[in-house]
Amino acid sequence: MSARERVEDGLRRLVAASWAERLALSLAALVASVLVGGLIVFFSGTAATCEEPAYGVFGLTSCYNPVSVYVLLVTGAFGSLLSDPFNFNMALTLKESTLLIFTGLSVAVAFRAGLFNIGSQGQLVIGGLASAIAVLTAGPLLPGVSGLLLVPLGVGVGALAGGLYGAIPGALKAYADANEVITTIMLNFVAAQVAFFLVSTYFAAPDSQSVETSEIPAGAVLESALFGSGSDFSIVALAGGLALVAGLYYLIGYTSYGFDLRTSGLQPEAARYGGVDAKRTIVSSMALSGAFAGIGGAVWVLMVMGRFQTGVPALGFDGITVSILAGNNPLGVVPAALLFGVLKSGSLAVQLSTGVPVQLVGVLRGLIILFVAMPEFFRLLGTRFVTTDREPAVATDGGTPSESGGKP
């Protein structure tokens, strides 16, 4: 068997893996990442200086205890749940997870349509900016109104702006055959520069040294009902994100539009043969993807910042990894986003409680993400190049798969 055949056979086995096999593979990858990261922490500690070694094995001593680091990385993300279930660490974990649910869904819906949307970051920026401008404009016009009006307004405008911005690379792909990877990357830079210009020129907050808008009206802020002020997390936003997860899962799995979207992603030629309007599907799926990212931007403004500020965190780019980790399944986005939230919140606890440098903590977090996401990445890559015996044919004409399971 040649090297190419071995690679193809490996990809074929990966693509054909059941959900239980994929779960076992992810757990094995997680264990491997912990072992590799533990070695890195230990040997990094051997070169550091400290008053007393924290860990020793086979005569070697280290200033860093890898076991304590990983225990704190996990437990630090949840805080003292028994004494205070609504503590700050838990709020931080849920805040990061909530934001990544929206961007994870954004990337996942594009992937299911066979499109690679790297522009979720730009769509999130445009959605957040539009949301802030909308509530800042509507607030003085509607004095005394509660969040029942301003919050839906901000979220709706964010979704609309993000959707329209996402439709641009979709239209370029459908009608000009422009590669969506290139256009979405470029539009990320365009969004950042447009936001900087508009905020610094027309919407800058008076007496502020940062490029940011004024604070949004109090009625538009997504308040935290359980975790207290200052936590920057709202259970309402999390509930909204979970509702979108369920809605997208139903849309993809149980509607004719979802069937068109999935078929276009799996077998574009067969989809066209079966009567699917490929151009409309490309534009609408990219618009839907942008809408999810735009909602994420609106939530970032309404829940976290209380205003729009340039230098938006890379939530859109993290959403790519979340989607890959979830296998582009909307239901998988939730645990994948939670893993990211745990790692981000736990990293902060490790930095504050140990002497491990922040760069080393970032390496540990990156190793976990890399190891866990790689099997799913190669599986998704394999679906484009190999076929499996388990993969049923797509009945684009409304019929049933052939007995051989072959493709048209």
Side-chain angles (χ1 to χ4, degrees):
M1 181 180 290
S2 66
R4 177 176 180 177
E5 289 174 335
R6 282 196 294 271
V7 171
E8 289 181 349
D9 183 61
L11 287 176
R12 190 173 292 108
R13 292 167 58 188
L14 202 56
V15 171
S18 64
W19 69 267
E21 293 169 333
R22 290 163 59 188
L23 179 61
L25 196 59
S26 297
L27 292 176
L30 179 63
V31 172
S33 70
V34 171
L35 293 176
V36 173
L39 290 175
I40 293 176
V41 170
F42 177 79
F43 285 108
S44 298
T46 60
T49 55
C50 55
E51 296 182 357
E52 185 177 351
Y55 195 76
V57 61
F58 299 127
L60 285 175
T61 59
S62 173
C63 292
Y64 309 138
N65 186 337
V67 178
S68 299
V69 168
Y70 274 107
V71 169
L72 194 58
L73 188 64
V74 176
T75 58
F78 299 101
S80 304
L81 285 177
L82 295 179
S83 59
D84 183 13
F86 306 113
N87 60 73
F88 177 80
N89 290 12
M90 190 66 188
L92 180 59
T93 300
L94 293 178
K95 179 191 75 173
E96 297 290 343
S97 302
T98 300
L99 293 171
L100 289 173
I101 284 176
F102 296 109
T103 53
L105 290 177
S106 169
V107 180
V109 69
F111 262 133
R112 296 301 292 266
L115 302 167
F116 194 178
N117 181 17
I118 306 182
S120 289
Q121 180 68 21
Q123 294 145 19
L124 180 142
V125 170
I126 294 298
L129 175 61
S131 175
I133 294 174
V135 295
L136 284 171
T137 304
L141 299 177
L142 303 169
V145 298
S146 67
L148 293 177
L149 180 59
L150 289 180
V151 171
L153 174 67
V155 174
V157 171
L160 179 62
L164 291 175
Y165 201 67
I168 295 174
L172 291 173
K173 170 76 174 179
Y175 298 101
D177 200 24
N179 189 299
E180 80 276 9
V181 175
I182 304 298
T183 55
T184 50
I185 290 175
M186 295 173 67
L187 285 170
N188 283 336
F189 294 102
V190 173
Q193 295 303 317
V194 167
F196 185 90
F197 170 76
L198 290 178
V199 174
S200 61
T201 307
Y202 299 107
F203 302 103
D207 304 325
S208 175
Q209 300 300 317
S210 303
V211 182
E212 60 185 12
T213 65
S214 301
E215 291 186 4
I216 61 176
V221 176
L222 282 167
E223 295 287 354
S224 174
L226 299 176
F227 291 88
S229 59
S231 63
D232 295 335
F233 168 69
S234 170
I235 197 72
V236 175
L238 177 59
L242 295 178
L244 288 180
V245 167
L248 182 61
Y249 179 76
Y250 179 81
L251 178 72
I252 291 178
Y254 300 97
T255 66
S256 58
Y257 174 75
F259 178 79
D260 292 349
L261 191 144
R262 285 185 290 117
T263 310
S264 299
L266 289 172
Q267 298 177 2
E269 296 299 329
R272 280 191 287 272
Y273 180 77
V276 175
D277 189 335
K279 294 181 178 179
R280 186 187 65 180
T281 303
I282 291 173
V283 177
S284 61
S285 59
M286 285 298 291
L288 183 60
S289 175
F292 282 123
I295 294 174
V299 172
W300 179 71
V301 168
L302 304 179
M303 183 180 77
V304 180
M305 299 300 295
R307 66 175 78 206
F308 181 86
Q309 188 179 69
T310 56
V312 179
L315 297 167
F317 296 117
D318 288 345
I320 297 174
T321 313
V322 168
S323 178
I324 292 175
L325 193 60
N328 300 324
N329 187 324
L331 298 182
V333 166
V334 177
L338 181 61
L339 174 63
F340 265 69
V342 167
L343 293 177
K344 284 193 172 183
S345 180
S347 298
L348 183 61
V350 171
Q351 295 168 29
L352 295 176
S353 304
T354 69
V356 178
V358 59
Q359 295 84 357
L360 189 54
V361 177
V363 169
L364 299 181
R365 197 175 71 187
L367 276 175
I368 293 175
I369 295 170
L370 180 67
F371 273 62
V372 176
M374 276 301 102
E376 278 301 317
F377 174 77
F378 283 111
R379 194 186 69 83
L380 294 173
L381 191 67
T383 58
R384 293 178 176 270
F385 298 104
V386 300
T387 57
T388 67
D389 294 335
R390 296 186 189 181
E391 191 174 324
V394 176
T396 55
D397 58 355
T400 58
S402 62
E403 293 182 356
S404 62
K407 296 179 180 180

